[in-house]
């Protein structure tokens, strides 16, 4: 199942052969800027973009599912236990085992990867959205009811906006952990920053391992920072409290 | 249902909770005349908040009825009913994610008012509760003091000009100075707007200060007495009411009236300590005690002696 064999004869190498590069590459020093320059557009940049795509897709789908489940549970408490248990079980399955389970069904496809990645976002997103919805103070809800807001109006105008901070906290964890986890996608499909890492591991080619790893870490930091900025923009009332 | 005040009539309104033998409110019958403040007081467990919440159907009426301006609250759509009733609670319940202006604009927006009309109304109300719109419009609740928050809560409840207001211990969480200020502010606003207000409090002094009428409820949600503060203090219906009013109810009664309202004895060249005509009888009595005298010379607005008040005339009032 793991497409990590050497370049298949006749198809040529999957990545440019780094055996004939500069002295730095030949000696396999820790970091060779010339290799990065030569392989940025061919290998690293596409892998980074694929990684971003895998992450966004997983978190977006996970968010939609978790959001729906949280709304349902907010209305009907009896769904909470089964949903939490399901999400927790999914969360505890090791990713390698999950791939093993899924490949016979969905094959070596993006779907296999996404099902796994989405599965890992559910617990954190669901719990945080629900916690956010429940964080609305009772006096706020009573005032809303007393003023004649319907349940739906209360949900959309009061509860959901007030659930934003907890939801964003969940999104940050989900995004960062998905970015880390998506490197494992390379076990199933030749995509994402995990792929160049696997290739380079075979040869113990330090520069590629280092650069791909650093890109994954950098991506996680940038994504987290963007989410912090988004949260500030979405919750001006919290900013004012900080200033007050 | 907006603008002009409407009478609220409780007609044998009863609230029973399933599984409990005794009702929380038992056959409550009383009428709050349009434009008056009715204070519901009583010990905890007397059902005063329950009685109030039956008006806007936050709590359903089990038996009997409540009519606002002759219309049964049970016959109206519940959201429409609530949008037509101002609602103020102790914890205020401002929406923390909305600015002061957006909070106040809640009901007008639900009612589909135009943007200009809403903005104009919000500014008008913030000025009414003495929070200058320019300074306060854009603030968030977290940036306000407790007193300011309750002012916004009051403005929000008044936003759509409801004929009826329900207030559930609105000043209970405030410090004494802020509370006194807001009590007087409410009286000023009420003097201007003349709403029909049901005001729940456990503080009898607050009820005496604010209420045109006071309904005293006893445990089990039974109405013990419904009367004006003067009548209540002068003629408590029974032992429970008199205990609830406190052992100083004679002084409370004196506090309700001012020297100007008395028929004064002629001056006859009397001299001694003086008191302004706007002094309450209670303060006048206190002044006599501290001055060691049995009479005071009462001055008119211009500071000229107008007559004499004696300790006997004060005790006659309280009797």
């Amino acid at each position: 199942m793991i497409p990590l064999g050497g370049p298949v004869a006749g198809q040529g190498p999957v990545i440019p052969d780094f055996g004939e590069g500069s002295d730095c590459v030949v000696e396999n020093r820790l970091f060779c800027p010339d290799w990065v320059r030569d392989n940025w557009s061919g290998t690293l940049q596409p892998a980074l973009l694929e990684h971003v795509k895998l992450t966004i897709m997983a978190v977006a789908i996970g968010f939609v599912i978790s959001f729906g489940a949280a709304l349902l549970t907010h209305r009907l408490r009896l769904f909470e236990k089964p949903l939490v248990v399901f999400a927790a079980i999914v969360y505890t399955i090791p990713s390698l085992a999950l791939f093993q389970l899924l490949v016979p069904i969905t094959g070596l496809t993006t779907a296999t990867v996404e099902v796994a990645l989405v599965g890992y976002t559910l617990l954190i997103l669901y719990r945080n959205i629900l916690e956010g919805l429940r964080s609305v103070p009772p006096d706020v809800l009573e005032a809303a009811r007393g003023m004649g807001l319907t349940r739906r109006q209360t949900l959309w105008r009061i509860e959901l906006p007030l659930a934003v901070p907890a939801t964003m906290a969940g999104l940050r964890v989900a995004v960062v952990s998905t970015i880390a986890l998506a490197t494992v996608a390379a076990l199933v499909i030749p995509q994402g920053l995990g792929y160049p890492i696997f290739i380079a591991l075979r040869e113990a080619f330090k520069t590629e391992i280092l650069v791909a790893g650093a890109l994954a870490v950098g991506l996680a930091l940038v994504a987290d920072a963007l989410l912090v900025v988004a949260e500030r923009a979405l919750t001006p009332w919290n900013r004012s409290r900080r200033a007050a | 249902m907006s603008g002009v005040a409407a009478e609220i009539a409780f007609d044998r309104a009863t609230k029973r909770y399933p599984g409990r033998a005794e009702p929380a409110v038992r056959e409550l019958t009383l009428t709050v005349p349009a434009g008056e403040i009715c204070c519901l007081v009583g010990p905890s467990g007397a059902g005063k908040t329950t009685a109030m919440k039956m008006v806007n159907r936050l709590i359903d009426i089990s038996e009997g009825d409540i009519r606002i301006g002759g219309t049964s609250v049970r016959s109206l759509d519940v959201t429409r009913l609530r949008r037509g009733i101002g609602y103020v609670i102790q914890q205020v319940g401002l929406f923390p994610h909305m600015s002061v202006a957006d909070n106040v604009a809640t009901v007008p927006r639900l009612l589909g008012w135009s943007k200009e009309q809403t903005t104009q109304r919000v500014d008008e109300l913030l000025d009414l509760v003495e929070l200058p719109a320019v300074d306060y419009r854009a603030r968030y609740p977290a940036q306000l003091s407790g007193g300011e928050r309750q002012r916004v809560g009051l403005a929000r409840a008044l936003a759509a000009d409801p004929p009826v207001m329900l207030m559930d211990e609105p000043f209970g969480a405030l410090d004494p100075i802020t509370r006194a200020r807001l009590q007087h502010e409410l009286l000023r606003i009420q003097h201007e707007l003349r709403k029909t207000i049901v005001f729940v409090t456990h503080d009898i002094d607050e009820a005496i200060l604010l209420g045109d009428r006071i309904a005293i409820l006893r445990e089990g949600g039974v109405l013990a007495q419904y009367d004006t503060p003067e009548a209540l203090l002068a003629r408590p219906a029974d032992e429970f009411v008199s205990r609830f009013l406190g052992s100083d109810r004679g002084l409370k009664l004196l506090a309700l009236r001012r020297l100007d309202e008395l028929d004064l004895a002629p001056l006859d060249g009397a001299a001694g300590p003086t008191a302004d005509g706007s002094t309450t009888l209670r303060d006048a009595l206190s002044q006599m005690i501290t001055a060691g005298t049995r009479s005071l010379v009462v001055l008119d607005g211009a500071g000229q002696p107008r007559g004499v008040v004696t300790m006997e005339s004060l005790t006659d009032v309280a009797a």
Side-chain angles (χ1 to χ4, degrees):
Chain A
M1 72 174 258
I2 299 172
L4 282 184
V8 181
Q11 288 185 354
V14 178
I15 56 162
D17 186 346
F18 41 72
E20 298 165 16
S22 62
D23 291 351
C24 174
V25 171
V26 171
E27 289 167 26
N28 194 6
R29 287 186 210 143
L30 187 61
F31 180 65
C32 306
D34 58 312
W35 182 88
V36 176
R37 214 167 32 242
D38 293 344
N39 292 279
W40 174 256
S41 58
T43 302
L44 294 170
Q45 194 197 33
L48 179 64
L49 290 177
E50 287 155 13
H51 207 91
V52 170
K53 248 187 267 176
L54 288 172
T55 304
I56 289 178
M57 206 195 291
V59 175
I61 295 170
F63 182 82
V64 170
I65 295 171
S66 305
F67 187 75
L71 287 189
L72 181 73
T73 316
H74 187 52
R75 204 39 99 77
L76 301 162
R77 250 171 195 270
L78 85 156
F79 284 100
E80 183 175 359
K81 265 252 166 69
L83 284 170
V84 168
V85 168
F86 171 76
I89 288 173
V90 173
Y91 192 74
T92 54
I93 302 173
S95 49
L96 288 177
L98 193 52
F99 288 145
Q100 292 283 13
L101 283 172
L102 288 170
V103 166
I105 307 163
T106 44
L108 296 172
T109 60
T110 311
T112 302
V113 172
E114 287 298 341
V115 169
L117 293 181
V118 167
Y120 291 119
T121 66
L122 294 180
L123 185 64
I124 182 83
L125 287 176
Y126 168 70
R127 287 237 288 233
N128 274 55
I129 297 170
L130 191 58
E131 184 201 310
L133 287 172
R134 288 181 179 165
S135 70
V136 180
D139 56 297
V140 170
L141 293 177
E142 194 196 327
R145 216 155 77 87
M147 282 191 291
L149 272 79
T150 61
R151 281 188 82 153
R152 179 179 298 231
Q153 286 164 338
T154 305
L155 177 69
W156 288 96
R157 297 181 191 199
I158 312 294
E159 293 174 301
L160 284 174
L162 289 176
V164 166
T167 304
M168 291 303 286
L171 269 178
R172 286 172 61 187
V173 177
V175 164
V176 169
S177 64
T178 302
I179 288 172
L181 207 58
T183 50
V184 190
L187 291 169
V188 180
I189 50 171
Q191 282 189 31
L193 289 166
Y195 192 58
I197 292 176
F198 278 127
I199 298 294
L201 273 174
R202 273 190 302 129
E203 315 277 337
F205 179 46
K206 291 176 188 150
T207 299
E208 191 169 13
I209 297 170
L210 192 74
V211 172
L215 282 173
V217 172
L219 179 60
L221 291 175
V222 169
D224 195 52
L226 285 176
L227 286 169
V228 170
V229 171
E231 189 195 337
R232 295 244 167 124
L234 286 170
T235 58
W237 67 91
N238 274 337
R239 188 174 36 211
S240 69
R241 180 165 7 203
R242 282 191 291 270
Chain B
M1 230 179 47
S2 120
V4 216
E7 173 188 279
I8 304 173
F10 288 78
D11 179 7
R12 297 196 299 151
T14 301
K15 178 61 193 178
R16 285 177 204 283
Y17 286 102
R20 264 194 258 163
E22 295 301 307
V25 174
R26 187 195 297 261
E27 302 205 342
L28 180 63
T29 300
L30 61 85
T31 299
V32 187
E36 287 198 1
I37 299 181
C38 165
C39 287
L40 296 178
V41 294
S44 38
K48 44 194 194 298
T49 297
T50 307
M52 186 205 77
K53 285 185 177 176
M54 286 196 287
V55 176
N56 64 355
R57 285 171 58 195
L58 283 175
I59 292 177
D60 282 316
I61 306 167
S62 307
E63 290 147 41
D65 202 357
I66 296 172
R67 284 181 292 274
I68 299 177
T71 309
S72 164
V73 296
R74 306 173 93 162
S75 70
L76 293 168
D77 169 65
V78 72
T79 54
R80 243 194 73 202
L81 171 75
R82 288 176 187 160
R83 287 170 194 180
I85 298 176
Y87 189 54
V88 185
I89 56 179
Q90 183 175 350
Q91 299 307 326
V92 194
L94 292 183
F95 303 142
H97 60 300
M98 292 186 190
S99 68
V100 165
D102 287 336
N103 265 286
V104 176
T106 305
V107 178
R109 283 184 190 149
L110 288 173
L111 295 174
W113 289 20
S114 74
K115 219 173 163 177
E116 302 77 52
Q117 201 185 358
T118 305
T119 313
Q120 195 195 335
R121 180 68 181 156
V122 167
D123 287 0
E124 192 180 303
L125 282 161
L126 289 178
D127 288 338
L128 180 72
V129 297
E130 307 205 316
L131 299 174
V134 195
D135 294 338
Y136 283 88
R137 212 187 279 128
R139 292 204 201 176
Y140 286 101
Q143 297 167 298
L144 304 177
S145 70
E148 288 170 336
R149 263 177 235 180
Q150 196 51 284
R151 284 168 195 264
V152 176
L154 188 56
R156 183 172 69 169
L158 286 166
D161 201 16
V164 167
M165 303 266 289
L166 304 178
M167 306 182 78
D168 191 359
E169 302 204 28
F171 310 138
L174 302 173
D175 66 82
I177 293 170
T178 310
R179 185 187 312 148
R181 196 174 297 152
L182 278 178
Q183 285 167 341
H184 287 98
E185 210 119 297
L186 176 65
L187 285 175
R188 173 181 62 78
I189 290 169
Q190 169 66 355
H191 192 75
E192 201 174 311
L193 302 181
R194 290 279 160 214
K195 302 293 182 189
T196 311
I197 300 177
V198 175
F199 190 107
V200 169
T201 175
H202 62 260
D203 177 354
I204 186 67
D205 292 312
E206 183 169 65
I208 291 168
L209 175 68
L210 297 178
D212 294 301
R213 280 156 210 268
I214 298 173
I216 298 187
L217 299 172
R218 69 169 96 236
E219 289 88 347
V222 178
L223 183 62
Q225 191 171 358
Y226 180 50
D227 236 320
T228 60
E230 292 82 359
L232 213 55
L233 290 165
R235 291 178 300 280
D238 58 22
E239 184 58 27
F240 170 79
V241 174
S242 120
R243 246 186 310 125
F244 195 81
L245 293 170
S247 50
D248 63 341
R249 80 179 153 83
L251 291 178
K252 283 175 178 150
L253 187 57
L254 290 182
L256 288 177
R257 302 186 63 180
R258 296 176 189 282
L259 290 174
D260 279 341
E261 300 166 32
L262 294 186
D263 294 323
L264 300 174
L267 266 172
D268 285 340
T274 60
D276 198 79
S278 65
T279 310
T280 66
L281 303 190
R282 179 193 168 116
D283 290 350
L285 178 63
S286 171
Q287 206 178 327
M288 288 180 202
I289 292 165
T290 50
T293 162
R294 303 185 70 82
S295 65
L296 294 175
V297 175
V298 181
L299 305 177
D300 64 15
Q304 294 305 308
R306 200 168 70 77
V308 172
V309 62
T310 63
M311 198 170 266
E312 286 70 30
S313 61
L314 295 184
T315 50
D316 286 350
V317 169

